[in-house]
Amino acid sequence: MSEGVAAAHDVLLVGGGAAGLRAAIAIAESNPSLSVAVVSKVYPMRSHTVSAEGGAAGAFAEDDTLDEHAYDTVSGSDWLCDQDAVEAFVQEAPRELLQLEHWGCPWSRQPDGHIAVRAFGGMKNMRTWFAADKTGFHMLHTLFQTSLKYADLTRYDEWFVSRLLVDDGRVHGVVAIELRTGRIEAITAKSVVLCNGGSGKVFPYTTNAAICTGDGMALAYRAGAPLKDMEFVQYHPTGLPFTGILITEAARAEGGWLLNKDGYRYLQDYDLGTPEPTPVLRSMELGPRDRLSQAFVQEVEKGRTVESPYGPIVHLDLRHLGAKLIDIKLPMVRELCLKYERIDPVKDLIPVRPVVHYMMGGVHTDINGATPIEGLFAAGETACVTINGANRLGSNSLPECLVFGARAGRAAAEYAASAQRPPPVVMQQVEDEIRRIDQMRRPERGSERIADIREEMQSTMEDSAGIFRSGESLSKGSDRLAELQQRLERVQLHDETQVFNTELVTALELANMLDIAETILQSALQREESRGAHQRTDFTTRDDTRFLDHALAYRDADGAVRIERSPVTITRWPPGERVYGR
């Protein structure tokens, strides 16, 4: 392995998905004189944004308002979002979506040529822009193609960032491994923006790609930044049972039904916060994701689900929609079903179950993406600004990447314009990181297997911190993770090559996931209430007196998780009953 500095830049983006590319474009536009770089462990067009299907929310229709979008988001969050961030988000989201239109995003159209919108769960108005059911794919293409026109934007494709360079409370760049050669080098910068996605692979069944291992969260956490609201993990109610592949909420927005083993639309038996149908919430299937997932568990307990090789399932029925509508508005759903389940939703029921989809928590930032570490910013699912609180409404995440990616990019550019170059002392950290990774390669470390530890971590998280959790399950899970952390120190790597050593990267990703898993369990253990996606069987009600606040998870010097609390920002909507459709 070689060491040194690969390059020096003014601003460095870690992650090449929607948030990272939007931030890069914002920096290039706001200050063209800055040197900007994007480092990503995959080619940008393989970022997980590409798999987002349903759409992006933005209020622009005459019968919709920004206040209504804001209220739906606040209520959907179970009043744990910061309302100043929500108000900024709903104000800027339509402008960002329109900007994508000008950059060439092929939004689906109404017959008269206007942008088409669809209903999404928990929103009382139709405000979700979409491009068939490949919205993330088209958005990412648009952002990537737009980024190519900036000649001063440098890309480090297939570089894995293993450490942030931090000295005296300020970030100075990263240490990264070039996967093609195995070189470990520093990429220095005056400011860094973390945009490398979520950590769904901490759980066994997830819509997330294999690359979603919480790298950005773990980097910030180890560097001293807190992770916020990590106890709130969103399950999407309709994932394919074995693969976890997402069957988009758009399938229910277009009129799909959820059926139990008796062919009964079981959601009518549950309180979804939708007291009566409206023209938009025209079906019970458009309730919020947390409540639909919780209803599934209760169906399991009643014995009304279907057993499968991959656990209990229910069925999503699209047959009544017809082939024409499915092929126009849900072509990817049909393609996924044909390829991965060998069924055709035009004539067959789709087996589905709740699977982990999104992390409401993430790196603690302010409204402009700044973290408590000077010069370090974050945006997208890596970050927690927070507009999602205890439960994210579907179609808010893609515009969140745009709005706060742009905000973080502009703030990072402003910071970098007056910041100094990194001091020579940070190069010692590069040498320390090289030694750490060399140590991982030594065969005498032990005989533990990465796959065994990862599988046990995932099953532990599902059992202890799933859709429903308790103090007992969380404590047992925490003890189990402590054992797995010790076993990680004895993992043996067999691949001795330098070129594309995926075993080394997998080991580093596993270390990231174990750290993230611990913050989820400890945050959940200390929140003794039920709110949104966090449902405690031993504390079954929401408690605004004790827990109307954010949990901040810090990493102590001994590696333990320390939880502190910070207040929720309330501007206009005091806590109330969580209902939809009024």
Side-chain angles (χ1 to χ4, degrees), residues 210-471:
I211 61 174
C212 297
T213 52
D215 303 331
M217 298 179 193
L219 288 170
Y221 177 62
R222 293 196 197 110
L227 302 184
K228 182 166 61 181
D229 294 343
M230 293 300 291
E231 63 268 43
F232 298 107
V233 178
Q234 181 170 87
Y235 278 74
H236 195 291
T238 55
L240 294 178
F242 171 57
T243 61
I245 289 172
L246 174 68
I247 299 299
T248 174
E249 191 165 308
R252 289 174 281 124
E254 297 299 336
W257 300 335
L258 283 171
L259 309 177
N260 65 15
K261 72 175 186 180
D262 301 317
Y264 175 67
R265 290 177 71 185
Y266 61 89
L267 290 174
Q268 61 191 291
D269 295 345
Y270 299 93
D271 176 17
L272 304 177
T274 51
E276 56 188 35
T278 71
V280 172
L281 297 174
R282 58 187 179 274
S283 78
M284 64 197 77
E285 280 79 11
L286 279 184
R289 292 172 177 175
D290 56 343
R291 290 183 172 172
L292 264 62
S293 298
Q294 292 153 23
F296 171 88
V297 174
Q298 294 175 57
E299 285 293 291
V300 173
E301 293 171 349
K302 294 173 182 176
R304 304 198 316 197
T305 53
V306 179
E307 287 303 316
S308 81
Y310 311 107
I313 63 165
V314 292
H315 287 111
L316 178 62
D317 188 1
L318 306 183
R319 297 173 298 179
H320 53 286
L321 302 182
K324 182 178 179 181
L325 184 148
I326 291 173
D327 286 340
I328 292 175
K329 292 190 173 181
L330 303 169
M332 191 171 179
V333 167
R334 191 174 190 184
E335 179 183 351
L336 292 171
C337 289
L338 287 167
K339 285 187 175 181
Y340 292 96
E341 293 289 336
R342 297 183 181 178
I343 60 174
D344 186 348
V346 171
K347 57 185 179 181
D348 300 315
L349 295 172
I350 307 172
V352 293
R353 57 159 290 168
V355 294
V356 167
H357 182 58
Y358 187 88
M359 298 290 161
M360 271 74 77
V363 182
H364 171 48
T365 74
D366 67 12
I367 199 169
N368 291 313
T371 76
I373 297 176
E374 190 176 342
L376 181 65
F377 302 80
E381 193 175 350
T382 296
C384 184
V385 59
T386 170
I387 67 165
N388 298 311
N391 176 66
R392 176 178 69 81
L393 293 188
S395 75
N396 267 355
S397 63
L398 288 176
E400 178 186 5
C401 288
L402 301 175
V403 169
F404 293 103
R407 277 178 166 256
R410 288 190 289 266
E414 182 178 358
Y415 178 89
S418 58
Q420 300 298 313
R421 288 289 178 192
V425 68
V426 300
M427 296 310 299
Q428 179 61 49
Q429 297 179 31
V430 183
E431 297 172 6
D432 292 342
E433 186 66 1
I434 291 173
R435 281 193 293 269
R436 181 179 80 94
I437 294 174
D438 279 341
Q439 182 70 29
M440 291 178 64
R441 291 176 175 271
R442 293 182 180 175
E444 64 269 19
R445 275 170 55 94
S447 59
E448 292 284 357
R449 297 176 66 248
I450 294 171
D452 292 340
I453 296 175
R454 182 177 58 216
E455 183 177 348
E456 292 184 42
M457 172 196 68
Q458 291 172 334
S459 62
T460 296
M461 293 303 291
E462 184 80 4
D463 293 342
S464 62
I467 295 171
F468 288 94
R469 59 276 291 263
S470 68

Side-chain angles (χ1 to χ4, degrees), residues 2 42 88 91 131 156 289 331 364 370 428 444 457 479 509 539 567:
S2 63
V42 296
Q91 180 78 33
Y156 296 87
R289 292 172 177 175
H364 171 48
Q428 179 61 49
E444 64 269 19
M457 172 196 68
D479 292 342
E509 290 173 332
F539 296 94

Side-chain angles (χ1 to χ4, degrees), residues 67-68 71-72 75 122-125 127 271 273-281 576-582:
D67 280 358
E68 287 179 314
Y71 179 80
D72 287 346
S75 178
M123 295 192 183
K124 65 174 64 70
N125 290 320
R127 63 171 67 98
D271 176 17
T274 51
E276 56 188 35
T278 71
V280 172
L281 297 174
E577 183 184 2
R578 185 180 167 202
V579 296
Y580 304 90
R582 287 181 177 170

Side-chain angles (χ1 to χ4, degrees), residues 12 18 22 30 40 45 56 61 124 171 187 195 202 212 243 248 305 334 347 403 455 458 494 554:
L12 180 65
R22 183 64 188 95
S30 64
S40 174
M45 281 309 303
K124 65 174 64 70
V171 73
I187 305 174
C195 306
V202 168
C212 297
T243 61
T248 174
T305 53
R334 191 174 190 184
K347 57 185 179 181
V403 169
E455 183 177 348
Q458 291 172 334
H494 300 278
Y554 290 84

Side-chain angles (χ1 to χ4, degrees), residues 93-254:
R95 294 201 294 265
E96 287 291 334
L97 298 179
L98 187 60
Q99 178 64 73
L100 277 187
E101 155 83 359
H102 294 163
W103 285 338
C105 187
W107 299 114
S108 292
R109 302 283 177 173
Q110 299 177 23
D112 64 2
H114 284 87
I115 297 291
V117 290
R118 59 172 39 131
F120 245 63
M123 295 192 183
K124 65 174 64 70
N125 290 320
M126 295 176 67
R127 63 171 67 98
T128 298
W129 303 38
F130 62 97
D133 58 351
K134 299 181 180 180
T135 308
F137 174 88
H138 290 299
M139 285 179 57
L140 191 60
H141 266 270
T142 302
L143 289 166
F144 182 64
Q145 291 165 1
T146 301
S147 73
L148 296 178
K149 72 180 183 180
Y150 297 103
D152 291 334
L153 199 163
T154 303
R155 292 210 322 270
Y156 296 87
D157 296 340
E158 298 182 330
W159 285 64
F160 182 85
V161 175
S162 64
R163 178 171 178 166
L164 290 174
L165 296 172
V166 177
D167 180 65
D168 196 24
R170 177 185 158 200
V171 73
H172 297 288
V174 303
V175 181
I177 306 169
E178 184 183 32
L179 302 184
R180 184 175 61 86
T181 64
R183 290 183 300 135
I184 302 175
E185 296 189 351
I187 305 174
T188 62
K190 297 177 181 178
S191 63
V192 174
V193 187
L194 298 173
C195 306
N196 34 357
S199 54
K201 294 304 289 185
V202 168
F203 289 80
Y205 297 105
T206 176
T207 64
N208 287 192
I211 61 174
C212 297
T213 52
D215 303 331
M217 298 179 193
L219 288 170
Y221 177 62
R222 293 196 197 110
L227 302 184
K228 182 166 61 181
D229 294 343
M230 293 300 291
E231 63 268 43
F232 298 107
V233 178
Q234 181 170 87
Y235 278 74
H236 195 291
T238 55
L240 294 178
F242 171 57
T243 61
I245 289 172
L246 174 68
I247 299 299
T248 174
E249 191 165 308
R252 289 174 281 124
E254 297 299 336

